[in-house]
Amino acid sequence: MKVHPEEQTVFEVCLVVPKRKTKKEDATCDCVEVLENSFRKVGFIVERIDGVTDEFMKLAAPLEVLGKAAARLEMKKRTHIGMDLLFELDEVDAFVRQPDGSLFSWSERFCCYDHLIYGIVNENQSAVTLKCDEEEFQWKVGESLVRTLESKKIVKQIFPLHDEIRRKKLLGNWALNWWDLTGQPIDEVYSYFGAKIALYFAFLGMYTQWMLFPAALGLILQLVEFGSLRLLVLPIFFISIILWAIMFSQFWKRKNSALIARWQINYTFGGDPGYRLSGVDCTSLQVPVELIKDQEMDKRKEKEAFQKIEWFGRLRRVRNDAIVILSIICLQLPFELAYAHCYEVIQSDVIKFGLTVLYLFAIQYFTRLGAKMSVKLINCENYDNNEKRADSLVYKIFGLYFMQSYIGVFYHALLHRNFTTLRQVLVQRLLISEVLENVLENSLPYLKYSYRKYKIRSKKRREKGSSQGKILFTSRAEKEYLKPSYSASIGVELEDGLFDDCLELALQFGMIMMFASAFPLAFAFAALNNIAEIRTDALKLLAIYKRPFPRAATTIGAWLNIFQFLIVMSICTNCALLVWLYDQEGKWKIEPGLAAILVMEHVLLLLKFGFSRLVPEEPAWVKANRVKKAAQAQDIYSKQLLRTISGGEKALNNVKKTE
């Protein structure tokens, strides 16, 4: 098999095992030695490193080993004729390579690692006795060795390793490249982190780039004194912002399609997108076991059974959504209104600022309670795969945050019509929430990392009975092990760290869009924050966290639907703001003002849904390439089928002649 220059073997996975207290005597029974030998038999390149308190086993898989694993997994890959076919090791040249020249994407390689690591089973006729220090245990027939060692707490953790050469390259041309405001090497990000993280950064980059237009308009409105024309300028600004948001969402869909086509990702991808090293199968379609076992079931009963499962599943989802909505209304709404009322009656700006800070900390407690309840409800729902469960979690948690983030602002805007207080609230929310989020998301992981190193050093000094000498962590693998994982603050079972980043982006979008008429300058704040967000998010992935587990994806998922929802909400809220603004200024009576704004609202809603039909979600070149390759594939398949049929008929005629 040919090895591409960009596809040299590197250590990509690391296992953590405890240091043994006694010297190894019988290597044939020592569990760690057995594990290492098993990895070598599979084809892994293994390197063992002694750390301060643990031992680290780094694994690298040559291309041939990955190819054999992909063939056993019956992995489908894109070919040069546009068809996705089962991978075959002997036909490597038929398959399309990744943008970086490698044969397998990061997600595909990780799926192969998962299969190889957890595929080591006891194939002997009887159980094998293994030892770890003084403890003995049985490795049963047909049982996975790694699972057995995980259950005995011998394998502490398995995590992906950073590739130092590529990591430093990305640090230089991405995370620390402040001169290029929104530019990013998206193809390199995809090759290194996988599709889901790459799509998030592509979305963030495009969103920030497009944000420069409304930010400039907001600055003009803030700096230029329009006088009596201001009441005419605000509706024009509002209409421009809504059209901007509509066009952005549509053109993002086009860019999304272009990226997926460039990365050769199948549009009909429907498997479980999370390739986590937990022995999870790479496909997770959940078909009821009773329906699979009972092959004798007649068609009518089979149809009734599937309909029952489908509708009961939907009813459970409706019930769970109703529970979440009622919980928000009954438990959270009074708290939010109490905060908004206190903010309205308090005169001191310092006390208001302190109240906002306390409020932002307090709502985290409510959110975590809501998240735990949401995860329990989702586990009762019937979904095909983890991605749909994750989308359900996104909708439920965003409902909680929607109430927290906006109900107080609605209170000032719609009930009191106090635009001065409304602008103060928006400034404080944007500044405090965004600054606080950036500080916490970048400082807390580093503090956790430093605290873990401090604990290990303290423990080691106590064992030695001396405080003299400095304990150094010299191994790169050990340093990465001590770093926190890139995980979600809510719903860790279903989501990774992108959940928090996407949630922060969606809440910001809702804040600046729904109250654009009251505070146009908010777009400038958001643009500056997002420019910094691109670099800080990249930095934390490359330097602060462990390398994330890869997750395949074709879109940003439920978040795009949330952005669409916020655009519709923005049309309604800004129209209401303009009505009350004109009424406050005494320029219009409420009746004609309301009528005019309602007309504008309906026109914008029609434009929103009309523009989504006018602008195709798929670029013409992507569609043309897809159609062309599909036609080529059909032509080749037809010719091969005809040759097969013709060959079969000739063979049949020869048999008849012989007879």
Side-chain angles (χ1 to χ4, degrees):
M1 180 185 289
K2 295 180 182 178
V3 179
H4 195 273
E6 298 294 327
E7 198 166 12
Q8 301 301 320
T9 302
V10 295
F11 292 103
E12 296 185 295
V13 174
C14 183
L15 285 82
V16 185
V17 295
K19 275 188 174 181
R20 280 156 297 174
K21 298 176 182 178
T22 58
K23 293 183 179 180
K24 58 182 181 180
E25 297 177 358
D26 188 0
T28 59
C29 295
D30 184 83
C31 60
V32 178
E33 296 294 328
V34 171
L35 181 63
E36 180 184 355
N37 293 332
S38 299
F39 282 151
R40 293 188 189 278
K41 288 179 183 178
V42 167
F44 282 126
I45 299 171
V46 183
E47 181 181 337
R48 288 173 64 173
I49 299 172
D50 279 337
V52 176
T53 58
D54 295 300
E55 192 174 350
F56 301 88
M57 193 178 295
K58 299 197 298 184
L59 303 178
L63 183 58
E64 187 175 355
V65 175
L66 292 175
K68 290 178 180 178
R72 286 196 297 271
L73 285 168
E74 298 184 345
M75 185 181 291
K76 284 189 175 183
K77 285 188 62 64
R78 182 67 52 86
T79 60
H80 290 289
I81 61 172
M83 290 183 68
D84 292 328
L85 299 178
L86 293 176
F87 180 79
E88 291 186 15
L89 192 59
D90 298 330
E91 304 295 338
V92 171
D93 294 334
F95 297 96
V96 177
R97 289 185 174 269
Q98 299 297 310
D100 64 346
S102 59
L103 180 62
F104 296 104
S105 68
W106 175 223
S107 293
E108 290 168 341
R109 292 201 308 276
F110 218 79
C111 193
C112 293
Y113 273 102
D114 180 64
H115 172 73
L116 293 168
I117 290 172
Y118 285 93
I120 300 172
V121 297
N122 184 1
E123 297 178 350
N124 297 316
Q125 299 297 321
S126 59
V128 177
T129 302
L130 298 177
K131 294 181 180 179
C132 180
D133 291 330
E134 301 298 328
E135 182 185 0
E136 289 188 0
F137 56 92
Q138 298 293 313
W139 178 22
K140 297 178 182 178
V141 177
E143 194 173 63
S144 169
L145 176 58
V146 175
R147 286 193 184 282
T148 301
L149 297 180
E150 284 180 331
S151 66
K152 299 295 181 181
K153 308 298 183 184
I154 296 170
V155 173
K156 290 185 174 182
Q157 194 178 97
I158 306 175
F159 62 93
L161 285 168
H162 277 291
D163 180 351
E164 279 304 293
I165 296 175
R166 297 173 69 186
R167 188 184 76 90
K168 289 178 180 178
K169 183 180 177 182
L170 283 171
L171 276 172
N173 63 10
W174 182 35
L176 302 177
N177 185 20
W178 289 89
W179 294 107
D180 193 351
L181 295 181
T182 60
Q184 302 176 86
I186 291 299
D187 287 342
E188 293 181 34
V189 176
Y190 162 71
S191 299
Y192 192 70
F193 287 114
K196 189 154 190 176
I197 288 178
L199 284 173
Y200 162 73
F201 278 102
F203 179 83
L204 176 59
M206 182 175 173
Y207 173 57
T208 306
Q209 193 173 24
W210 279 59
M211 183 72 72
L212 298 177
F213 168 71
L217 288 182
L219 280 172
I220 292 171
L221 280 176
Q222 185 70 24
L223 298 176
V224 178
E225 185 62 45
F226 289 97
S228 59
L229 293 176
R230 189 171 184 82
L231 294 178
L232 180 63
V233 172
L234 278 179
I236 296 174
F237 173 75
F238 159 58
I239 293 171
S240 302
I241 292 304
I242 295 298
L243 293 177
W244 165 83
I246 294 169
M247 288 190 291
F248 164 72
S249 65
Q250 287 303 116
F251 278 96
W252 161 249
K253 293 176 184 177
R254 290 172 61 83
K255 182 171 183 177
N256 193 135
S257 299
L259 289 173
I260 296 302
R262 193 163 79 211
W263 297 336
Q264 305 294 335
I265 296 176
N266 190 0
Y267 279 89
T268 58
F269 181 85
D272 187 350
Y275 298 125
R276 296 180 179 273
L277 269 179
S278 56
V280 178
D281 189 10
C282 295
T283 57
S284 61
L285 182 62
Q286 293 183 346
V287 180
V289 177
E290 63 271 19
L291 295 181
I292 297 173
K293 289 181 178 179
D294 192 3
Q295 298 295 334
E296 302 297 326
M297 184 182 293
D298 62 271
K299 296 294 183 181
R300 182 180 60 82
K301 290 184 179 180
E302 183 179 0
K303 182 179 178 181
E304 290 177 357
F306 274 109
Q307 286 179 338
K308 181 180 178 181
I309 292 169
E310 177 188 7
W311 288 106
F312 270 100
R314 290 184 180 275
L315 287 173
R316 279 197 296 267
R317 294 173 208 169
V318 172
R319 178 203 65 188
N320 293 345
D321 291 340
I323 291 173
V324 172
I325 293 170
L326 288 174
S327 300
I328 291 172
I329 293 173
C330 298
L331 301 177
Q332 197 171 355
L333 183 60
F335 174 76
E336 301 292 336
L337 291 177
Y339 159 74
H341 179 71
C342 291
Y343 194 95
E344 189 72 33
V345 298
I346 292 174
Q347 300 297 322
S348 172
D349 291 337
V350 176
I351 297 177
K352 286 182 178 180
F353 184 83
L355 181 65
T356 303
V357 173
L358 290 174
Y359 164 77
L360 291 174
F361 276 106
I363 61 176
Q364 298 299 320
Y365 177 74
F366 285 99
T367 307
R368 293 187 184 281
L369 286 178
K372 290 179 181 178
M373 182 180 70
S374 298
V375 171
K376 289 182 179 179
L377 292 174
I378 289 169
N379 290 333
C380 300
E381 298 173 0
N382 183 26
Y383 288 105
D384 292 338
N385 52 48
N386 281 340
E387 189 66 10
K388 291 185 178 179
R389 292 188 186 91
D391 287 345
S392 178
L393 178 69
V394 167
Y395 292 130
K396 289 178 173 64
I397 298 301
F398 182 78
L400 295 172
Y401 270 97
F402 185 87
M403 178 68 70
Q404 292 170 359
S405 301
Y406 306 130
I407 192 65
V409 188
F410 287 146
Y411 180 85
H412 300 298
L414 305 181
L415 294 180
H416 285 272
R417 306 187 196 179
N418 189 336
F419 281 82
T420 302
T421 305
L422 175 60
R423 291 188 185 100
Q424 290 179 355
V425 171
L426 290 172
V427 170
Q428 290 182 7
R429 287 290 184 89
L430 284 170
L431 289 178
I432 294 175
S433 62
E434 292 186 350
V435 172
L436 188 64
E437 285 289 337
N438 283 327
V439 169
L440 290 178
E441 72 182 18
N442 289 287
S443 61
L444 283 181
Y446 180 76
L447 292 175
K448 288 179 181 178
Y449 172 60
S450 301
Y451 179 67
R452 287 176 182 175
K453 290 198 296 184
Y454 169 77
K455 279 182 65 178
I456 291 174
R457 287 189 176 119
S458 300
K459 181 180 178 182
K460 204 68 178 176
R461 288 194 182 102
R462 285 197 302 269
E463 290 175 357
K464 291 181 178 180
S466 172
S467 60
Q468 300 297 322
K470 190 174 183 181
I471 298 173
L472 298 176
F473 298 91
T474 57
S475 166
R476 170 60 61 181
E478 186 168 23
K479 290 178 181 178
E480 290 191 28
Y481 169 61
L482 295 176
K483 291 178 180 178
S485 300
Y486 184 58
S487 57
S489 60
I490 296 170
V492 181
E493 304 90 335
L494 300 173
E495 277 286 356
D496 58 13
L498 280 182
F499 177 87
D500 298 297
D501 294 328
C502 291
L503 178 63
E504 181 185 351
L505 214 58
L507 292 174
Q508 179 205 81
F509 183 78
M511 189 73 71
I512 62 177
M513 284 296 299
M514 287 196 291
F515 307 100
S517 299
F519 189 44
L521 192 61
F523 288 90
F525 284 120
L528 291 173
N529 176 79
N530 291 350
I531 290 171
E533 190 79 20
I534 293 174
R535 307 305 164 190
T536 55
D537 283 356
L539 187 62
K540 73 183 182 185
L541 283 174
L542 291 167
I544 299 176
Y545 287 107
K546 290 186 181 78
R547 188 178 182 181
F549 290 94
R551 299 186 66 186
T554 55
T555 67
I556 59 171
W559 296 107
L560 187 59
N561 294 332
I562 287 174
F563 271 75
Q564 300 276 15
F565 164 75
L566 290 172
I567 292 173
V568 176
M569 284 293 298
S570 301
I571 295 173
C572 302
T573 55
N574 280 283
C575 286
L577 286 172
L578 288 174
V579 168
W580 284 305
L581 180 64
Y582 277 109
D583 183 45
Q584 276 192 340
E585 297 289 342
K587 299 296 181 181
W588 289 8
K589 291 183 178 179
I590 189 67
E591 292 83 2
L594 179 61
I597 300 297
L598 282 175
V599 171
M600 183 169 64
E601 177 190 38
H602 283 69
V603 169
L604 288 173
L605 287 171
L606 287 173
L607 283 173
K608 193 259 181 238
F609 295 108
F611 199 83
S612 62
R613 303 290 297 176
L614 178 65
V615 178
E617 296 182 2
E618 189 178 38
W621 67 269
V622 174
K623 185 176 181 180
N625 285 342
R626 182 165 51 81
V627 172
K628 179 182 176 182
K629 289 182 177 180
Q632 289 175 348
Q634 186 176 5
D635 184 50
I636 293 171
Y637 183 75
S638 299
K639 289 179 180 178
Q640 185 178 358
L641 184 62
L642 286 172
R643 283 196 297 268
T644 303
I645 295 172
S646 177
E649 289 182 351
K650 287 180 181 178
L652 183 61
N653 291 333
N654 291 334
V655 171
K656 288 181 178 179
K657 288 179 182 179
T658 303
E659 291 176 351

